[in-house]
Amino acid sequence: MPATEVAWADLSEAERTALKRMNRGPYAALAQELGQRLVGLGLAVARPDGVGISRAGRELVINALLDARRDDAAP
């Protein structure tokens, strides 16, 4: 299932935090409802061992982090 077009700014702070944590590895404390929402958006996938970040979710997080780094480096 392809991810819907979701921008970083469209996500809540909780969704952003969850994606950042999942990008680093398993996130055992992820609330079930939040995990289901991220799966529905195509930013996470349900796996036998829990919800994990999808390729689209990883790309979104990485792009957001790179954008923040560029903003910090701007004069």
Side-chain angles (χ1 to χ4, degrees), residues 15-62:
E15 291 165 337
R16 292 178 195 174
T17 299
L19 284 172
K20 287 181 199 174
R21 288 183 179 166
M22 286 192 297
N23 191 49
R24 291 187 297 237
Y27 181 28
L30 179 65
Q32 184 177 359
E33 183 178 300
L34 181 54
Q36 289 174 344
R37 171 150 168 75
L38 293 173
V39 169
L41 292 172
L43 301 175
V45 292
R47 298 185 175 124
D49 58 344
V51 174
I53 195 165
S54 68
R55 184 180 304 254
R58 192 173 307 279
E59 288 176 10
L60 191 62
V61 170
I62 290 169

